[in-house]
Amino acid sequence: VFQDNSQGGARALNRAAAAPAPRRKSLLVTAFLSHTGKASLPTVLPVTVQPQPAAHSGYHLIGFDATGKRVADVQMALSAVHVDREYPPLELEGVIPAAGVVRIAIVKAGVTLVGRHASAHRPTVHLRGVPSVRHGAAKIRWRAADADGGRLEATIEYSADGGHHFRTIWIGLSHGLARVPARYLSRSAKARVRVTVNDGFLSATATSRRFRSPGSAPYVKIISPTPGTRVRNDASLLLVGQAFDDRLDVLSGRLLRWMLGRRLLGTGAQISVAGLPAGRHRIKLLARDIFGRVGSASVVVNLRATRPLFVTLRVPGKVSRKAHRLSLKVASSLSAKLAVRIAKKSLGSFRVDRKLRRLSIHIPTGRKTLKLKLTLRSAGLHTTVAVAVRRR
């Protein structure tokens, strides 16, 4: 796995963009130095940027014209990158004016480390219609050729505003076909794609006509809990997720809904729930964009049954001997069934959960003290509490 800490030339371009000078056609050169000192030069890309400010790495990027005359010389920016299970190489980036340059070389202390000469022919590229979108994926087709027989690398960019602004959606070897998720081509009535092929020095670009892109429902990911999570069903369960629409805007708040079956658990990117029923459950995160399209993700969790407990139980200490009803306030650690009895006589059965609920119990009149038994039952487990209510 290769990770480029410079973000694909972004640092060199940003340095160039910061200089107070007009933009001009240039070449962005990226090279790598191994721990043994061996240099490789994978890309030379045409860009239009401001001149690069002076660096102090000691590595010079030199451009030569067709006569061999030196026409450009800049010091390259130097940074470290990471490669899994290998010695980290150094990355060199530099931007030089493209005018008249047909050969480049990277030089340190008068020694040429690596170089490249422009091929005799510029590659060609032609788009084969507009992208086709089906089953959540977009196919982009093109024809590219290089009279010099070299390998071509392709870069695909997408514009949702008719070509005023483009963003890169795919990079790879040019085989004439690329498949990308439909969400990479956000919904637009004036979409365009642009394909650029590069032979290592020279490039060619083709831009599509405008077309209508359907885009895609939001991309949704559940971060927590992880699949197969096992917890007690009376413990708090942290639900964390994220969602992006096809314009890469973050969706949040009420646009995100956490569901357990048809039950709404809450809204937002992060919530905490407790007291869910025991068993194996699939929790879903639904995300809705401004067009009403809904994307979803789900995760299965295993909730281990625990004994329900009274979180709140408020019973009057005394009641009138003529009273026909008794008011209780109850909240349970779990969604449970509450049974209220006097001796062997049932006074009612109620569904309770963590939300405080007021219950009205029909009671007999008389002088005798009411000896109530309140039993919570959930997933085959129960808790019983005895309460006495005096008559007055």
Side-chain angles (χ1 to χ4, degrees):
V1 178
F2 182 82
Q3 300 173 349
D4 184 351
N5 293 338
S6 68
Q7 300 179 3
R11 180 169 50 80
L13 292 177
N14 288 339
R15 286 170 58 87
R23 295 162 62 91
R24 62 187 179 186
K25 292 183 178 181
S26 305
L27 297 174
L28 170 62
V29 179
T30 304
F32 296 96
L33 296 175
S34 71
H35 70 284
T36 62
K38 183 179 179 180
S40 61
L41 202 165
T43 59
V44 180
L45 296 176
V47 292
T48 301
V49 295
Q50 298 170 0
Q52 175 184 317
H56 304 284
S57 66
Y59 292 90
H60 289 257
L61 173 60
I62 300 175
F64 301 89
D65 65 13
T67 67
K69 180 182 177 181
R70 180 181 298 191
V71 294
D73 185 346
V74 300
Q75 286 206 53
M76 305 182 77
L78 181 66
S79 63
V81 295
H82 171 75
V83 179
D84 287 350
R85 297 180 296 276
E86 294 184 16
Y87 287 103
L90 296 177
E91 182 183 54
L92 295 168
E93 293 175 343
V95 177
I96 61 172
V101 175
V102 298
R103 183 169 66 90
I104 60 169
I106 298 175
V107 178
K108 174 71 179 293
V111 178
T112 299
L113 303 180
V114 66
R116 180 172 293 174
H117 199 290
S119 55
H121 303 91
R122 185 177 297 275
T124 60
V125 60
H126 302 280
L127 277 161
R128 299 172 59 187
V130 298
S132 60
V133 179
R134 189 177 181 184
H135 302 310
K139 291 183 179 180
I140 304 166
R141 296 177 173 87
W142 68 94
R143 289 191 183 95
D146 183 9
D148 302 301
R151 188 179 71 169
L152 298 177
E153 183 177 87
T155 300
I156 302 177
E157 299 166 287
Y158 174 74
S159 171
D161 58 8
H164 294 289
H165 303 89
F166 283 90
R167 60 180 174 85
T168 301
I169 60 172
W170 188 89
I171 296 176
L173 292 179
S174 177
H175 295 301
L177 173 65
R179 294 179 176 87
V180 300
R183 67 178 183 272
Y184 287 10
L185 280 61
S186 59
R187 179 168 171 162
S188 173
K190 48 184 180 179
R192 280 183 166 169
V193 292
R194 183 168 67 190
V195 177
T196 299
V197 294
N198 181 274
D199 66 1
F201 201 106
L202 300 177
S203 297
T205 299
T207 303
S208 75
R209 61 174 173 82
R210 289 186 178 184
F211 64 94
R212 184 179 296 274
S213 173
S216 177
Y219 169 76
V220 186
K221 180 180 181 180
I222 294 177
I223 300 172
S224 176
T226 56
T229 291
R230 295 177 178 270
V231 295
R232 293 164 51 105
N233 69 325
D234 62 347
S236 292
L237 182 63
L238 181 64
L239 306 179
V240 182
Q242 60 184 12
F244 303 89
D245 65 16
D246 61 9
R247 297 175 300 174
L248 300 183
D249 291 333
V250 176
L251 301 177
S252 60
R254 294 184 178 275
L255 297 175
L256 301 182
R257 294 164 57 87
W258 294 92
M259 306 294 297
L260 178 61
R262 295 185 178 181
R263 175 183 172 186
L264 175 64
L265 300 178
T267 61
Q270 178 174 318
I271 65 170
S272 181
V273 294
L276 298 179
R280 187 173 183 269
H281 299 288
R282 182 175 295 276
I283 295 175
K284 287 187 176 181
L285 174 59
L286 308 179
R288 183 183 299 272
D289 66 13
I290 61 174
F291 301 109
R293 298 175 298 186
V294 177
S296 68
S298 66
V299 62
V300 173
V301 297
N302 293 283
L303 304 179
R304 189 171 71 253
T306 53
R307 190 180 304 279
L309 301 174
F310 287 98
V311 176
T312 301
L313 178 58
R314 298 174 187 168
V315 183
K318 54 187 177 180
V319 67
S320 170
R321 68 185 66 174
K322 297 180 180 181
H324 292 278
R325 307 201 72 84
L326 179 69
S327 180
L328 310 178
K329 290 184 178 179
V330 179
S332 169
S333 62
L334 300 170
S335 178
K337 184 177 180 180
L338 171 64
V340 183
R341 305 176 67 86
I342 294 181
K344 295 183 179 181
K345 181 180 179 181
S346 173
L347 300 184
S349 180
F350 310 88
R351 296 301 306 183
V352 294
D353 53 29
R354 284 179 172 261
K355 184 177 181 180
L356 186 63
R357 184 178 177 187
R358 184 190 296 272
L359 307 177
S360 181
I361 310 296
H362 182 77
I363 58 175
T365 58
R367 295 175 177 271
K368 290 185 178 181
T369 296
L370 296 173
K371 296 182 179 180
L372 305 178
K373 284 190 175 181
L374 295 92
T375 302
L376 287 173
R377 295 185 181 276
S378 176
L381 302 175
H382 71 277
T383 295
T384 299
V385 172
V387 179
V389 181
R390 292 186 295 110
R391 294 286 194 174
R392 65 179 180 211

